[in-house]
Amino acid sequence: MLKSLDDLEFIFPWRSYQAELLKHFNSHIADNHFHVIAPPGSGKTILGLEIVRKLEKKTLVLAPTLTIRNQWEDRLQNFFTENCDFEAYSFDIKAPSDITFSTYQSLHAFYKTFEDKNDYYQFFKSHNIETLVLDEAHHLKNAWWNCLMDLKRNSEFYIVALTATPPYDSSRAEVSKYFTLCGEVDDEIAVPDLVREGDLSPHQDFVYFSKPEDLEINFIVDYRRDIADFKDKLLKDEVFINFLIEHRFYKNPNWHLDELYSNTEYFSAILIFLYACGFEIDHQKLEVLGFEKQELIQFPKLDLHWLGILFQNILVLDREQLIEQEKYISTLEKQLRRLHVFERNSVDFIGEQLLYKSLSNSPSKLKSIVSIVKAERESLKRDLRCVILTDYIRKEFLNIKTEEIEDIDKIGVLPIFQYVRYYCNRPEELAVLSGSIVIIHQSILRHFETIASLDDFSFSSLQIDESFLLVTSKGKPKNSIVSILTQLFEAGYIRVLVGTKSLLGEGWDAPSINSLILASFIGSFVSSNQMRGRAIRKDANAPNKTGNIWHLACVDPTDLDGGREVDTLKRRFEAFVGVTNSTIPFISNGFERLNIPDEIPVEQIDTLNESTLNVATKRILTTEKWNNAIGKGTKLTKEVKVLHQGKRPYKRQQQIYYFDVLRFFIVELLFTMMLFYVEFVAQSFHLILQRGVFYFIYALLAAFIGVFGYKLWKAAKLYIRHGYLYKKIGKMGLAILDTLDELGYITSGRASINVNSYVLGKGDVVCNLVGANALENSLFAKALTELLEPIESPRYLIVKTNFFRKRLDVENFYPVPELFGDKKENALVFQKHWKHYLGQSKLVFTRSVEGRKLLLKARLFHVYNAFKEVTKEVMVWK
């Protein structure tokens, strides 16, 4: 225990959400990890220092930048000491003290100085450093991660990880590495907590859609038509069909089982293509994979995803094995290159890169920005504080002539500046702030001079508009240009500021921002969330501030769902918790809370945008919605939503495919039986007189089975396969919950936790825990999601089967969640609780020969949903 840390004591009262988080400290740190998600403004640094104080161990605090590193020492002195007199700290990683503040870059550089890494591990042991604090942990890059993970593997540490946004949208490998280092999320300070306490402003996200230019539409339509023509010709191409029939996977699958196990998507793509051609799949090929003669696979439609998988393997991954057909494959490659489908060893029929680059950079977004700025200015008048962030500067548009503005074909800082300058009123309120170009209006020079000496800067008029000045600094002035323009913006002399997200994104602070336009299309939702954080901070000078965050999307006219840009936004919105736009508001994450239609036809975009602007300017409603929604809950709860599939209206689909088929059948039966009995008795009354009542009853039963037997058989089969879905998922949830409890993951007390499962209006099924803490919720949601998603490569499978199911060909396969599948004894615990709630099943180890065959069979059963979003983890304030 360190005596120096005894002198530290937080000298202010804790906010309620901070106190709640610290209350569970002992249970969270039990696994030597404390991983906290907290938005900007929630006091992450203060919490980190309190955790360090509680652990009472020598500590290394790592931050992504020197500025943030210095903030740690500043908060320590000003919030944990009376006289800023704590001395047992260091900024030098080579000379550590009781608390050492450094950066990830410094640790990595230090790591590289050791030829023998054992000396590196020994250094930390000899200095008794036992706690690592990882600030803004989402910044961890590969090199930084390696030196930390290497250290963690070879020494015992308490790991305290603090972040505003985990990198959920990174690759699965990156996300896995992140959680391996930081541990599972222990607790989260929710945005609603901060809004309720007055530490964040009420705010709302809005999406403004744009239509591509005619040239872009023609390009997209031509591209789609060319791909469709290629696909149609391919389906009739006897040479290609024969090429697939002769492929070793199809011709002799039992000779290549190991390859099939490792690449089931490729084999599936071959089968799906042949099936789409009308080719009858030889069932003997499937029997070797575990399918019985009568079992049917529901093949999905041959879409561009499956076509892409097929050609990615043929042209790249499997090419060496197809060397005898190289001449033919080369002709296929040339065809795809001409279609711009095959580039850099990657096949892309959907055009994600080609079309996305075109739409994300569309000049139509410049008109969107003008519309938003005009509407916000009209609504807020002199109170407007609008920041527009984008990725590139585009210096070639600095001195573009007025008559050429319409010809701008790229989005960037200077194109936005030119459009807003030309099309919006009051250009004197406009400024540009980027790393290499700074522009202000000459009318604010006198205010500029009150902050800094004009002699430290040079000013030159723009050729296109002499009222605007290009500002460059001479040497190193006392006040940086960023600081000066920030002060001018805060004071209201600049009301519309255009800049790059790299300069004005994370770390830049201007609490007065009340309108943020994100014209950025590069980067993950980590950076998007950091940029949003700029607009939702509380402004002491405007206590009633509300923040509008604007997202831009250019719609793909050939895709009713909106295309890749809308998909990207939907993914990013998984990280944003906010209030819904519904009549009865509630707080949730996800794109759905904006109430934007699932389909976005181009002809409806103007109406949609007009409605959005109308809602956005009624800022008092945003505050009212937050106040109403916050009162309906106390904490964010993670739910698993099983998404309703298909385009049919839910009620109709429920009757035909979903899980009330028996009730539907009984209702139908009652109606038709009435007619059947009346008709049968009338026609067969003579049988009673001639042969007696028993003969009549036998005839009635035979006729009944003849008329209703098949329907009853079909209904029973559907029910056995699916059951009532929400009840079934509830039982799965109970099996997971009891397994978590038996394996020691439940610390809140099993008796106080319940599983809640129900159906929403659109047909989605929702399942969540009631009474659990954040970590228990997170583990439960992750396990249930894995259980319901299409099968990939679990170590164990649960096969729900019995004699009756076998006769009906309705075996069901479920992957044992990774949390329980690491050891056989854990998997057996899960199977025990599964049997209790869901009946007989067998546990199969998929790494054996028979197990791998069954795994492939299970994957092929799930192939229909391979590219569908089956489940979604949702955060809801309850």
Side-chain angles (χ1 to χ4, degrees):
M1 302 300 173
L2 291 174
K3 287 187 177 180
S4 64
L5 298 188
D6 291 341
D7 299 331
L8 299 177
E9 188 77 37
F10 187 58
I11 60 177
F12 298 99
W14 291 108
R15 299 168 186 169
S16 60
Y17 51 83
Q18 294 172 329
E20 183 66 22
L21 183 142
L22 292 168
K23 187 168 77 175
H24 302 290
F25 168 76
N26 289 330
S27 61
H28 289 323
I29 203 67
D31 64 350
N32 287 5
H33 294 80
F34 197 6
H35 186 181
V36 178
I37 300 173
S42 58
K44 282 198 301 292
T45 308
I46 302 296
L47 285 167
L49 288 166
E50 177 65 9
I51 293 165
V52 168
R53 193 186 71 80
K54 282 177 174 289
L55 288 171
E56 297 184 294
K57 307 285 185 186
K58 270 196 168 184
T59 300
L60 173 62
V61 177
L62 295 167
T65 66
L66 288 171
T67 303
I68 296 174
R69 181 204 72 175
N70 295 340
Q71 282 176 4
W72 275 83
E73 190 267 337
D74 177 75
R75 300 291 191 276
L76 173 69
Q77 302 290 6
N78 287 291
F79 289 83
F80 286 84
T81 69
E82 292 287 350
N83 303 307
C84 299
D85 54 0
F86 184 79
E87 295 181 356
Y89 74 91
S90 169
F91 284 131
D92 186 358
I93 199 169
K94 297 174 186 174
S97 186
D98 289 352
I99 301 179
T100 304
F101 304 105
S102 190
T103 63
Y104 295 115
Q105 297 97 314
S106 296
L107 178 67
H108 182 238
F110 184 56
Y111 175 72
K112 289 196 295 185
T113 62
F114 292 91
E115 287 187 17
D116 184 348
K117 299 308 177 193
N118 288 318
D119 295 335
Y120 170 66
Y121 317 137
Q122 190 56 42
F123 175 87
F124 290 91
K125 288 176 182 174
S126 63
H127 284 89
N128 297 317
I129 294 174
E130 296 179 68
T131 299
L132 295 178
V133 178
L134 312 179
D135 191 19
E136 304 291 2
H138 58 265
H139 276 285
L140 285 168
K141 298 189 173 95
N142 273 334
W144 300 352
W145 183 88
N146 287 334
C147 65
L148 273 166
M149 202 60 219
D150 204 11
L151 186 60
K152 182 183 177 181
R153 275 192 293 261
N154 289 277
S155 304
E156 289 290 325
F157 289 101
Y158 288 106
I159 305 286
V160 180
L162 308 168
T163 183
T165 314
Y168 289 127
D169 66 341
S170 300
S171 68
R172 172 170 282 193
E174 291 295 316
V175 172
S176 174
K177 281 164 55 174
Y178 172 84
F179 285 107
T180 300
L181 178 62
C182 299
E184 293 294 335
V185 174
D186 287 293
D187 216 333
E188 179 168 1
I189 294 176
V191 167
D193 285 318
L194 276 77
V195 175
R196 180 177 56 197
E197 296 281 329
D199 295 320
L200 287 182
S201 297
H203 53 277
Q204 185 56 286
D205 294 275
F206 298 98
V207 179
Y208 199 96
F209 296 101
S210 61
K211 297 179 248 187
E213 306 291 319
D214 289 343
L215 200 62
E216 293 170 305
I217 291 175
N218 292 338
F219 173 69
I220 293 168
V221 170
D222 289 346
Y223 178 83
R224 295 271 188 242
R225 187 177 57 241
D226 291 343
I227 298 297
D229 289 346
F230 171 79
K231 179 184 165 187
D232 290 344
K233 289 175 184 175
L234 199 67
L235 286 168
K236 298 171 185 173
D237 187 339
E238 294 294 334
V239 178
F240 186 73
I241 293 169
N242 194 58
F243 168 76
L244 293 183
I245 292 169
E246 292 296 315
H247 191 283
R248 66 189 185 284
F249 279 12
Y250 188 78
K251 192 172 184 180
N252 297 301
N254 53 334
W255 294 0
H256 305 281
L257 286 178
D258 281 344
E259 277 191 278
L260 286 178
Y261 296 142
S262 61
N263 195 352
T264 52
E265 281 192 330
Y266 186 20
F267 182 58
S268 299
I270 291 171
L271 296 179
I272 290 162
F273 186 91
L274 292 175
Y275 184 79
C277 296
F279 187 81
E280 189 173 343
I281 304 297
D282 185 348
H283 211 86
Q284 286 184 333
K285 311 295 185 189
L286 299 175
E287 284 177 33
V288 80
L289 305 177
F291 287 91
E292 296 175 10
K293 284 187 178 181
Q294 302 305 315
E295 286 186 287
L296 295 175
I297 300 174
Q298 187 182 15
F299 286 102
K301 182 182 176 184
L302 177 67
D303 60 17
L304 298 180
H305 282 290
W306 284 114
L307 203 61
I309 287 170
L310 183 60
F311 275 91
Q312 183 69 37
N313 280 277
I314 291 170
L315 297 184
V316 183
L317 304 176
D318 195 31
R319 197 157 182 167
E320 288 185 10
Q321 302 295 320
L322 302 170
I323 197 72
E324 292 180 8
Q325 288 87 16
E326 177 58 34
K327 188 175 180 181
Y328 176 61
I329 292 173
S330 294
T331 62
L332 291 174
E333 179 183 335
K334 287 173 185 173
Q335 283 180 274
L336 295 194
R337 286 195 185 279
R338 281 196 296 270
L339 291 169
H340 303 289
V341 166
F342 185 57
E343 291 178 5
R344 298 178 185 174
N345 271 357
S346 178
V347 175
D348 178 16
F349 282 100
I350 297 168
E352 288 201 337
Q353 294 304 318
L354 188 68
L355 301 185
Y356 177 54
K357 190 175 180 181
S358 167
L359 293 177
S360 61
N361 203 16
S362 173
S364 64
K365 291 183 180 178
L366 296 169
K367 296 172 184 173
S368 300
I369 292 168
V370 167
S371 299
I372 295 167
V373 170
K374 282 181 174 179
E376 292 281 49
R377 179 177 275 148
E378 188 176 334
S379 170
L380 293 173
K381 307 287 192 295
R382 296 179 62 81
D383 291 332
L384 176 66
R385 299 292 185 277
C386 177
V387 171
I388 307 167
L389 295 181
T390 189
D391 300 295
Y392 301 113
I393 295 172
R394 311 285 191 201
K395 291 183 181 178
E396 64 269 29
F397 297 109
L398 178 60
N399 288 308
I400 192 167
K401 295 175 182 175
T402 299
E403 60 270 19
E404 295 174 351
I405 286 178
E406 285 282 350
D407 297 331
I408 293 176
D409 60 353
K410 292 183 178 71
I411 194 166
V413 170
L414 290 173
I416 293 169
F417 165 73
Q418 299 291 12
Y419 257 72
V420 175
R421 175 186 69 82
Y422 185 72
Y423 290 106
C424 296
N425 297 326
R426 307 186 68 81
E428 67 275 10
E429 298 176 354
L430 176 64
V432 167
L433 179 55
S434 69
S436 58
I437 288 186
V438 177
I439 301 171
I440 64 171
H441 197 271
Q442 63 178 10
S443 64
I444 66 167
L445 260 185
R446 65 184 187 279
H447 304 295
F448 190 107
E449 192 173 15
T450 62
I451 301 169
S453 170
L454 297 184
D455 294 335
D456 290 336
F457 300 89
S458 62
F459 303 89
S460 55
S461 300
L462 292 189
Q463 293 176 19
I464 47 151
D465 189 338
E466 292 187 354
S467 63
F468 279 96
L469 305 173
L470 199 61
V471 185
T472 53
S473 59
K474 302 174 183 175
K476 289 190 176 179
K478 289 181 183 177
N479 286 316
S480 73
I481 193 68
V482 174
S483 171
I484 295 166
L485 261 66
T486 302
Q487 290 179 59
L488 292 170
F489 179 79
E490 289 285 285
Y493 302 119
I494 295 169
R495 296 199 180 99
V496 180
L497 185 61
V498 186
T500 51
K501 70 164 193 187
S502 57
L503 186 68
L504 303 181
E506 188 172 351
W508 181 65
D509 197 16
S512 65
I513 300 171
N514 49 29
S515 182
L516 176 68
I517 302 174
L518 297 175
S520 168
F521 54 89
I522 291 178
S524 62
F525 60 41
V526 168
S527 59
S528 298
N529 210 23
Q530 292 292 340
M531 288 188 284
R532 279 177 84 253
R534 311 283 75 83
I536 66 181
R537 289 183 183 273
K538 197 73 179 174
D539 182 8
N541 297 318
N544 296 322
K545 168 190 160 180
T546 56
N548 283 353
I549 302 109
W550 292 92
H551 307 262
L552 308 180
C554 187
V555 171
D556 180 347
T558 63
D559 187 340
L560 274 178
D561 294 335
R564 168 79 184 275
E565 278 240 290
V566 178
D567 285 342
T568 301
L569 272 186
K570 287 178 179 177
R571 285 198 301 275
R572 288 182 179 179
F573 266 77
E574 296 305 309
F576 306 156
V577 173
V579 69
T580 61
N581 266 336
S582 50
T583 309
I584 302 172
F586 61 93
I587 295 166
S588 173
N589 69 333
F591 195 73
E592 293 81 6
R593 69 180 174 84
L594 301 185
N595 273 7
I596 292 170
D598 292 334
E599 295 184 351
I600 309 168
V602 173
E603 58 272 13
Q604 292 182 18
I605 285 176
D606 290 340
T607 306
L608 195 58
N609 287 337
E610 191 176 328
S611 173
T612 300
L613 288 174
N614 185 42
V615 173
T617 53
K618 295 175 180 174
R619 289 172 175 255
I620 189 66
L621 290 179
T622 300
T623 303
E624 289 174 2
K625 283 182 177 179
W626 271 101
N627 292 337
N628 291 337
I630 285 173
K632 295 174 183 173
T634 56
K635 66 176 183 178
L636 275 180
T637 300
K638 185 172 280 190
E639 299 180 339
V640 175
K641 185 183 285 186
V642 184
L643 302 175
H644 164 63
Q645 301 293 338
K647 296 291 185 183
R648 294 173 187 267
Y650 169 60
K651 292 295 180 187
R652 184 177 167 208
Q653 179 123 343
Q654 184 187 49
Q655 289 174 343
I656 299 172
Y657 292 105
Y658 270 57
F659 313 101
D660 290 333
V661 284
L662 282 185
R663 282 191 286 181
F664 170 64
F665 174 76
I666 290 166
V667 171
E668 181 189 47
L669 193 64
L670 289 172
F671 279 112
T672 50
M673 273 175 57
M674 291 167 62
L675 298 173
F676 172 78
Y677 280 137
V678 171
E679 186 179 351
F680 187 84
V681 170
Q683 291 179 354
S684 308
F685 188 72
H686 65 283
L687 287 175
I688 300 174
L689 299 176
Q690 291 178 3
R691 303 195 181 187
V693 174
F694 284 108
Y695 189 88
F696 170 79
I697 292 172
Y698 293 147
L700 176 64
L701 286 174
F704 179 85
I705 290 169
V707 174
F708 297 106
Y710 176 71
K711 286 185 177 180
L712 184 60
W713 176 261
K714 189 175 178 182
K717 187 172 176 177
L718 278 170
Y719 177 71
I720 290 168
R721 174 165 288 178
H722 299 295
Y724 294 122
L725 183 62
Y726 78 95
K727 290 184 178 178
K728 184 176 179 182
I729 288 174
K731 289 178 181 179
M732 290 178 182
L734 286 166
I736 290 170
L737 176 58
D738 285 353
T739 307
L740 287 171
D741 184 44
E742 185 168 336
L743 296 179
Y745 290 104
I746 300 296
T747 57
S748 302
R750 172 65 183 87
S752 64
I753 302 175
N754 294 313
V755 174
N756 186 26
S757 181
Y758 57 94
V759 182
L760 291 178
K762 288 183 178 179
D764 298 338
V765 175
V766 173
C767 187
N768 65 281
L769 290 184
V770 178
N773 62 36
L775 177 59
E776 293 158 351
N777 260 312
S778 179
L779 295 175
F780 174 83
K782 184 180 180 187
L784 184 57
T785 299
E786 288 176 13
L787 190 62
L788 295 170
E789 283 289 294
I791 291 169
E792 290 189 3
S793 187
R795 287 173 60 82
Y796 289 93
L797 280 176
I798 286 275
V799 184
K800 194 173 180 186
T801 185
N802 54 37
F803 174 79
F804 190 43
R805 283 177 171 275
K806 280 256 185 194
R807 301 307 301 166
L808 288 170
D809 304 328
V810 289
E811 285 182 297
N812 292 92
F813 304 91
Y814 299 94
V816 173
E818 190 179 350
L819 188 64
F820 314 140
D822 58 339
K823 297 176 185 175
K824 185 175 182 180
E825 53 263 39
N826 292 347
L828 287 169
V829 171
F830 178 63
Q831 187 196 20
K832 177 182 74 174
H833 293 295
W834 179 279
K835 281 184 179 178
H836 176 69
Y837 290 108
L838 291 130
Q840 280 301 315
S841 64
K842 60 182 178 182
L843 186 70
V844 178
F845 181 57
T846 62
R847 303 304 189 254
S848 66
V849 174
E850 285 304 309
R852 292 177 79 179
K853 185 182 289 188
L854 197 63
L855 176 60
L856 183 55
K857 179 180 176 181
R859 282 174 172 175
L860 288 172
F861 262 126
H862 279 263
V863 79
Y864 196 78
N865 288 321
F867 298 114
K868 293 179 182 176
E869 190 177 25
V870 178
T871 64
K872 179 186 285 186
E873 292 185 18
V874 183
M875 300 297 295
V876 180
W877 180 257
K878 287 189 170 182

